[in-house]
Amino acid sequence: METKRILNNGVSIPLVGFGVFQVPDLAQAEEVVGLALKAGYRHIDTAAVYMNEEAVGAAVRKSGIPRQDIFVTSKLWVQDFGYEKAKKAIQTSLDKLGLDYIDLYLLHQPFGDYIGAWRALEEAYRDGKIKSIGISNFDAARLADFCQTVDIQPAVNQVETHPFFQREDLLAIAEEYHVALEAWGPFAEGRFGIFTHPVLTKIGEKYSKTAAHVALRWNLDRGVIVLPKSVTPSRIEANIAVFDFTLDDDDRAEIAKLDQGHSDIVNHADPDFVKLLHGLKIHD
């Protein structure tokens, strides 16, 4: 069973990554990334706004794993959108990570001067500082507009998608433009009783798997890269055990019924939420 996907620029990305959102303590972040790498993860997802790029880089360097075997993602925050600010922030991410290059660098939100910022990402991509560039939290319409506007197509769009917010419209547009979807929050941030949900649990019993495994496998079967998060060693290890089964048509039909059609986590169409993002400053 495939464990990697080839992006639209020919770069190979592991299908299961380890997310470090909400782990701002640098010592803890370094520890859990180290545990993830020992458990077999080869894709680590961080961001400038997570405030733990230094810890991710330290864990990667200390792992003893060849750098080319680890895929590192980071993201540019809204505060640094715009061409000149983005150029500076890209270098800051490289310096904090302590790496010669970043495998994937994303625009974290679809607000502000993201076109100007994209120009800086394109430049860093051409210079080899970043191996792939992409976006995050772009809905179907914004994704189509973006792809029609920029010179270099995004390789990835990282968004919320899980069995309760399935986003088939976005998946269809992403496939049309050859953009890979990545799922942040593939466990719906613990909402909907996902870890004990009767539909997911019953499906899991067929394969001797948990509801969490089913949620991850469902996205993987759709071609979506998943980024589970945990600071619990047993769960870190368990979450990567999804490459020995696949769902059948009956399973997918049952999961299709779970779709709420909207997010219960964030609302990118809410003006107050947009203002909140613009107001979140991560440096002076």
Side-chain angles (χ1 to χ4, degrees), residues 56 76 168 194 251 276:
V56 168
L76 182 73
E168 292 293 336
I194 189 169
D251 302 330
L276 177 68

Side-chain angles (χ1 to χ4, degrees), residues 3 16 47 110 114 124 143 171 193 201 244 249 255 283:
T3 62
V16 177
Y114 57 77
L143 174 60
L171 184 59
T201 299
D244 57 353
D249 290 341
I255 293 173
H283 59 77

Side-chain angles (χ1 to χ4, degrees), residues 22 162 164 185-197 229 265:
Q22 296 177 326
H162 45 73
F164 306 97
F187 296 141
E189 302 294 282
R191 289 168 170 78
F192 306 101
I194 189 169
F195 298 116
T196 56
H197 194 281
K229 304 184 297 289
I265 301 174

